[in-house]
Amino acid sequence: MTGKPRVMVMTTLRPAAMERLARDHDLQRWDLAKDRDAFLRDHGPGCRVLVTNGHVPLTRAMLQAMPDLELVTCSSAGYDAFDTQALAERGIALTNTSQALRDDVADTAMMLILAARRGLVPAEAHVRSGAWGRDGAFPLQRKVSGTRLGIVGMGTIGHAIAERAEAFGMSIAFWNRSRKDLRWPQQDDLVQLASDSDHLVAIVAGGEGTRGLISEQVLQALGPQGLFVNVARGTVVDQDALIATLGDGRLGAAALDVYEDEPNPDPRLTGMPNVTNYPHHASGTVETRDAMAHLAVDNLLAFLDGKPLISPVDLGGARKGAA
């Protein structure tokens, strides 16, 4: 025993953040253990804080092995793999890093809209392959400026997407699970929002509460000229319906950063010519990943110092996932 606060580490943070974490804490490296179940049984007691990310499952049984746990600090925005009901029952606080990746994810949403509407991927291939000189001009694409954007999920990142879309002269409306008093109109009918939009961006929280929220009816309402963009979680869209509507022309196109089966998404979806793919990398910049890791440590330090948490998650209703 070192006398330092014991911290269970379930994910390796970025180097500078790990150095901060190791400096004044007794780190229990579950992330490096060969027998993780045994490690948790042996080293879980006495740990008041757990450092992890949303890709590492956190089950009720795992939590039971940490009877002294008071805080889970998550270095990602999403926490779909956590048993949030068990956290709520135990009164264990949870923090995440949505505010740190706000800008990068919003930038990526706009990038995907532009890439899909202007045919960036096939156009690049048209130049690279020599088809431009051999076969002539690339086909005309679709305009983005001045179009209609529907946003599903008006949290921190949804708000940032709306601000960027305004710079493109887009008209904006949104759907959200709770009421929001904002300058953009809120549409309570998701099918109607899709019908009124040229592009529909999903940035709603993941988890069971939103599984299949983007249904076949919503996708069909978006229509044969519509674009569906997903920077939320693969589970928020009915994937079979997405494949079907893209395949038969009821939906025009999709641009996806997230998929139901990662990192091996369904090739029926990713191989479609009207799908623009990105590998769940919306927050994937050096600057943002560093900021996410440091925010996870900052939350830990605030907790141990008896200060308010910087980015707490409201576990009311124990909803899983985060935008």
Side-chain angles (χ1 to χ4, degrees), residues 85-113:
Q85 185 67 45
L87 290 175
E89 289 173 6
R90 288 263 304 272
I92 299 170
L94 172 66
T95 64
N96 73 346
T97 58
S98 289
Q99 62 184 243
L101 50 78
R102 172 187 190 270
D103 288 335
D104 266 355
V105 177
D107 289 350
T108 298
M110 298 306 298
M111 177 190 75
L112 288 171
I113 292 172

Side-chain angles (χ1 to χ4, degrees), residues 6-8 10 28 30 35-50 57-70 72 86-87 90 92:
R6 288 168 60 86
V7 175
M8 183 63 65
M10 290 191 167
Q28 307 300 308
W30 179 93
D35 186 340
R36 290 177 166 177
D37 289 340
F39 186 91
L40 203 57
R41 287 195 303 271
D42 294 341
H43 301 275
C47 290
R48 296 177 60 206
V49 181
L50 184 155
L58 185 57
T59 67
R60 183 178 294 269
M62 294 168 73
L63 290 168
Q64 288 172 344
M66 294 175 279
D68 303 304
L69 191 65
E70 298 178 59
V72 173
L87 290 175
R90 288 263 304 272
I92 299 170

Side-chain angles (χ1 to χ4, degrees), residues 101-178:
L101 50 78
R102 172 187 190 270
D103 288 335
D104 266 355
V105 177
D107 289 350
T108 298
M110 298 306 298
M111 177 190 75
L112 288 171
I113 292 172
L114 289 164
R117 285 305 193 190
R118 299 305 302 268
L120 177 62
V121 175
E124 199 276 343
H126 190 72
V127 177
R128 186 181 295 270
S129 67
W132 186 14
R134 183 178 61 250
D135 303 329
F138 190 69
L140 296 178
Q141 302 298 299
R142 300 298 301 272
K143 187 176 181 179
V144 171
S145 297
T147 54
R148 301 168 300 169
L149 176 65
I151 300 174
V152 183
M154 189 53 80
T156 300
I157 301 169
H159 199 282
I161 293 170
E163 291 173 339
R164 284 155 173 75
E166 282 186 325
F168 283 83
M170 291 184 180
S171 60
I172 298 153
F174 71 93
W175 178 96
N176 199 66
R177 288 187 288 185
S178 59

